[in-house]
Amino acid sequence: MADITVRPLRDDDAERVLAIYQAGLDAGNASFETTAPTWRAFDAAKLPEHRFVAVDGNGTVVGWIAVAPTSGRTVYAGVVEHSVYVDPAAQGRGVARLLLDTLIASTEAAGIWTIQSGVFPENAASLTLHERAGFRVIGVRERVGRHHGRWRDVVLLERRSPVVT
């Protein structure tokens, strides 16, 4: 991991971020979405202060993480939903964990008390990553949506901050 660093996501990362996003979608176990959004839609949906990229020693973006608010209601201001994607060529090198640790530090510093996510049960690597980072399973939404012609379940995960009370 010495060759991987994390920095805030910038607009000039858009092409790589969306390409990595699309690669994750194409793999089939990342999201109900099948096409990455436009940069304008991505940018509008994600909180700017909690968007990061992992870059290799050559400065190439190899992964990204970002959050979106779960609700516009004031009571849920400290709850976000995150997404993390890693270039297939960089998977298995700890990139996602580095991104997730950075996000946790960033959100806690901002007073966010809950990070949540939904993961397909077939995405064992993501479930293991989240468990190791302190997330817990809060339930399974069975047959919640159709994806590529078949019903899919979604495992709901959350991490409650031990420092934001």
Side-chain angles (χ1 to χ4, degrees):
M1 287 306 300
D3 66 326
I4 303 294
T5 57
V6 175
R7 64 166 170 75
L9 187 152
R10 304 183 304 235
D11 285 342
D12 64 345
D13 297 322
E15 185 176 340
R16 279 292 297 152
V17 165
L18 294 179
I20 291 167
Y21 196 173
Q22 188 62 54
L25 298 177
D26 291 345
N29 282 326
S31 172
F32 281 108
E33 301 299 330
T34 57
T35 304
T38 64
W39 182 249
R40 183 175 178 181
F42 179 97
D43 188 46
K46 308 298 184 195
L47 296 176
E49 59 274 18
H50 306 293
R51 303 188 301 190
F52 301 95
V53 293
V55 296
D56 67 13
N58 297 319
T60 302
V61 173
V62 296
W64 63 269
I65 195 164
V67 300
T70 60
S71 174
R73 295 176 60 195
T74 304
V75 69
Y76 295 115
V79 182
V80 295
E81 183 166 1
H82 86 291
S83 299
V84 58
Y85 286 78
V86 176
D87 184 310
Q91 290 175 357
R93 295 174 43 202
V95 173
R97 181 59 191 261
L98 187 58
L99 285 164
L100 193 52
D101 288 346
T102 301
L103 179 73
I104 290 167
S106 170
T107 56
E108 286 184 339
I112 292 171
W113 58 83
T114 301
I115 303 171
Q116 67 184 37
S117 190
V119 176
F120 289 138
E122 297 84 0
N123 194 340
S126 184
L127 292 172
T128 299
L129 163 73
H130 286 88
E131 179 185 340
R132 289 180 180 164
F135 284 73
R136 69 184 180 101
V137 173
I138 58 172
V140 177
R141 297 183 73 193
E142 295 177 355
R143 296 173 43 99
V144 70
R146 292 183 67 78
H147 182 246
H148 297 299
R150 68 181 176 107
W151 288 104
R152 301 291 299 263
D153 297 347
V154 172
V155 178
L156 299 177
L157 304 161
E158 75 172 9
R159 182 188 183 278
R160 302 296 298 263
S161 172
V163 298
V164 179
T165 56

